[in-house]
Amino acid sequence: MRAAEAGGERAGRERLVRVARGLEEGDLLARGAQVVQPATGEVFGADVLVAEGRVAALVGTGAGARAARTVEARGAFLAPGFMDAHVHIESSLLTPARFAGAVLPRGTTAVVAEPHEVVNVLGAPGLAWMLEAGRTSGLRVFASVPSCVPASGFERGGARMDAAEVASALRLPGVLGLAELMNYPGVLGGDPHVWDVLDAGRGGRVDGHAAGVGGRDLMAYAAAGVHSDHEATTPDEARERLRAGLWLMVREGSAARNLEALLPVLRERPRRAMLVSDDVSVDELLELGHLDRLLRACVAGGLHPADAVALVTCNPAEYWGLRDLGLVAPGYHADFVLLRDLQGFEVLETFVGGREARAGGVTPPLADGGVDLGPGWDRATFEVPEHWPVMEVHPSQITTGVGAPGSGDARLVVADRYGREEHAACWTSGTGMTGGALGVSVLHDAHNVAVLGGTDADVRAAGRALEAMGGGVVVVAGGEVRAHLPLPFAGLMSDLPPREAAAGLAGVTAAARALGCTLPYPVTTLSFLGLSVIPALKLTPRGLLDVGAWRLLPREAKSSPDAPSARLERAGG
């Protein structure tokens, strides 16, 4: 810390001490509150005195504390501001400022963004943009550095980050550690690039991402230096991760919903657990809420309210080393939320730094990250090899199943959007699509173009519509656009107000359902059908990937063992 900054810190702390002792009035007094203290599991009456943007003292109600401004809590519950320890802001389809507008009224005051969506499109400048946009959003936006750009050797996005770039990014202000290490086969198999990136992150937090990994492989993954995992879907998987010393992130988002299944583990009050949203769309944020809805589910499922609150306050703050966040206590940042009750968690007011939270700020410009399908797209056809298995799509998980060839009902096409003119197609089941096409430029993690359903003509029309918008989501039928939502920020995000963006997305969802789609959140589910590190089958522009076997399936069913088409294409090959 520079001398001038150190001097300012000292002066502020000295005033905080005087206010705490009653020698000087504070800036804000929240009077008559019921304070939720997750560190002790208590709820007790107190007045909360704030100065210099921090809590100065908790004093007895009516003890005569003085402040320039008083907020009458009138018995409302005052809890620490909620923190999402792992979230992809881009998956909301909103820029950081607009995301803040959706979550601040829900009590969220801080997030640790994992911006590997925009980084896969634009590289390290995408991380810098996320931090800059976060600083003016009204929300405390921290970040972790994407560890797998691309997610694996089977994917090609718009950028690649090597270990040197990761090491440089880890030094940026606001960066807290290395983001989810998704390429677990690379960790277990000793991939030099993966281990170079892991080495760059040593000394700080390293988030994990080990879908389906268990037994000795999970132990080996943790032994590599990973600290957490958010891919547990069953109580046994959750307990196995806790026993391996990993922090358990219980995920409940739009694409993967694991909270109900893992509530039995949370009722056991594990010491190292937290709640995260991971990926949540704008319509769900507005309709159901953010971390507040997770808290409602926890309390309804049998957790004490203070224990539930700990999962989104002091626990994530401890995990990420944010020593001045996560509690309403002297010296901590005055980030807190007033709640009507501890069952519905209805938010009355949110405070950040002792001031009523307001989303705002101008979203900084972002370098072009649109869609380029190339001139050959207008003549492209999308045949599926007859012997390829069918990708079984699950409505509430990001994992997929494996069906017998010939059993599918909707074709999926994935095409490179960075001008390389590669594409592949497979059959899916479980989506309900019977006509027309749903297209997106949000396809984790390389963010190529994906089109579900449709004739060849509809697929081509959807691709060109996405290209014209600079990225987004679109529904096409009979060659005509039925609904669309432009996402001009890297082909991932909109700067529309949340309700306008949600209305656009609702129009797309309604148009997809009119064509037979039965998925609750079709855009979010579709966006995960290309992620090469999530079992069991995923589609990339290079072909259909068997994630468990870590291979691209050959396009030809029968050939001699020595023929190139029969050889398995492996990561980096």
Side-chain angles (χ1 to χ4, degrees):
M1 182 181 294
R2 291 176 297 184
E5 294 174 346
E9 169 79 8
R10 175 170 174 169
R13 293 284 186 172
E14 287 177 340
R15 178 172 177 244
L16 204 61
V17 168
R18 292 194 298 272
V19 172
R21 296 184 68 200
L23 303 177
E24 193 173 313
E25 75 171 12
D27 300 326
L28 175 72
L29 180 67
R31 185 160 57 195
Q34 295 292 313
V35 175
V36 181
Q37 175 52 283
T40 62
E42 294 178 281
V43 179
F44 57 88
D47 295 346
V48 179
L49 188 58
V50 174
E52 302 293 323
R54 296 177 181 267
V55 176
L58 306 180
V59 298
T61 300
R66 298 175 296 119
R69 180 166 171 261
T70 298
V71 171
E72 298 292 350
R74 296 185 173 87
F77 295 89
L78 191 152
F82 308 150
M83 179 185 302
D84 196 334
H86 178 76
V87 61
H88 304 281
I89 290 176
E90 305 98 310
S91 292
S92 71
L93 308 182
L94 300 172
T95 59
R98 299 304 191 180
F99 177 80
V103 302
L104 281 168
R106 297 288 192 164
T108 300
T109 58
V111 299
V112 181
E114 210 286 61
H116 71 216
E117 323 305 346
V118 69
V119 173
N120 266 277
V121 175
L122 296 171
L127 170 63
W129 177 87
M130 181 63 71
L131 289 166
E132 180 185 0
R135 279 191 286 271
T136 60
S137 69
L139 187 69
R140 294 193 194 272
V141 177
F142 304 97
S144 52
V145 176
S147 61
C148 300
V149 180
S152 77
F154 296 112
E155 294 187 36
R156 289 199 296 173
R160 179 181 178 86
M161 282 187 69
D162 60 22
E165 289 176 294
V166 168
S168 177
L170 284 164
R171 295 191 289 269
L172 293 174
V175 167
L176 304 181
L178 191 64
E180 50 190 335
L181 199 59
M182 295 181 294
N183 191 347
Y184 63 83
V187 175
L188 300 178
D191 182 290
H193 170 73
V194 174
W195 275 81
D196 286 347
V197 170
L198 179 56
D199 287 343
R202 295 205 188 278
R205 281 296 188 200
V206 177
D207 263 355
H209 185 289
V213 179
R216 296 289 288 272
D217 281 349
L218 181 66
M219 297 296 171
Y221 185 69
V226 178
H227 300 127
S228 67
D229 185 66
H230 60 270
E231 293 293 331
T233 61
T234 68
D236 285 345
E237 285 184 338
R239 293 186 184 102
E240 187 178 21
R241 279 149 177 76
L242 289 165
R243 289 165 183 158
L246 297 172
W247 283 75
L248 176 66
M249 292 182 174
V250 176
R251 173 178 55 194
E252 183 75 5
S254 298
R257 304 176 187 277
N258 309 131
L259 177 55
E260 182 178 1
L262 301 185
L263 271 172
V265 178
L266 294 180
R267 285 196 292 267
E268 296 164 7
R269 301 179 68 188
R271 171 66 183 80
R272 291 150 67 95
M274 61 195 95
L275 302 173
V276 302
S277 68
D278 199 6
D279 300 276
V280 59
S281 62
V282 58
D283 50 351
E284 188 165 337
L285 283 173
L286 295 179
E287 179 185 354
L288 301 176
H290 187 212
L291 298 174
D292 56 320
R293 74 179 177 95
L294 276 62
L295 291 171
R296 284 193 292 275
C298 284
V299 172
L303 270 69
H304 186 279
D307 291 336
V309 167
L311 299 172
V312 295
T313 57
C314 57
N315 287 12
E318 178 184 347
Y319 174 78
W320 282 115
L322 296 168
R323 297 176 180 84
D324 291 348
L325 292 174
L327 294 176
V328 177
Y332 281 70
H333 289 297
D335 298 0
F336 54 84
V337 55
L338 284 173
L339 303 165
R340 187 178 301 279
D341 58 53
L342 296 179
Q343 291 78 43
F345 288 90
E346 179 186 347
V347 175
L348 303 175
E349 188 70 81
T350 305
F351 292 78
V352 176
R355 297 181 179 181
E356 287 89 342
R358 297 288 182 270
V362 177
T363 297
L366 189 58
D368 178 59
V371 175
D372 178 10
L373 294 171
W377 183 254
D378 295 323
R379 303 180 300 278
T381 57
F382 310 102
E383 297 84 6
V384 178
E386 292 183 359
H387 66 284
W388 274 6
V390 167
M391 181 190 298
E392 296 177 341
V393 179
H394 303 149
S396 61
Q397 300 296 338
I398 61 177
T399 55
T400 62
V402 182
S407 62
D409 51 23
R411 185 175 57 177
L412 174 66
V413 174
V414 170
D416 182 281
R417 72 140 145 147
Y418 302 98
R420 291 183 284 252
E421 296 199 281
E422 293 180 325
H423 65 265
C426 73
W427 288 103
T428 71
S429 65
T431 70
M433 288 287 288
T434 56
L438 169 64
V440 302
S441 61
V442 180
L443 185 67
H444 303 277
D445 281 333
H447 296 293
N448 287 302
V449 161
V451 183
L452 178 66
T455 63
D456 283 4
D458 279 345
V459 173
R460 290 193 292 264
R464 287 304 188 205
L466 291 171
E467 197 174 52
M469 291 189 292
V473 297
V474 66
V475 173
V476 171
E480 296 182 356
V481 173
R482 299 292 180 88
H484 70 287
L485 173 63
L487 302 173
F489 285 79
L492 303 172
M493 294 166 281
S494 168
D495 204 36
L496 291 172
R499 294 203 175 277
E500 291 183 30
L505 182 59
V508 169
T509 300
R513 286 178 178 158
L515 297 172
C517 185
T518 57
L519 298 170
Y521 296 94
V523 170
T524 302
T525 299
L526 175 55
S527 74
F528 279 96
L529 299 187
L531 181 49
S532 64
V533 293
I534 299 291
L537 296 176
K538 292 298 162 76
L539 187 65
T540 79
R542 295 175 59 191
L544 185 61
L545 178 67
D546 180 338
V547 180
W550 204 234
R551 65 173 188 168
L552 288 169
L553 299 181
R555 291 179 182 267
E556 296 181 18
K558 296 180 181 180
S559 56
S560 67
D562 295 327
S565 60
R567 291 199 295 268
L568 302 181
E569 297 182 69
R570 297 192 178 273

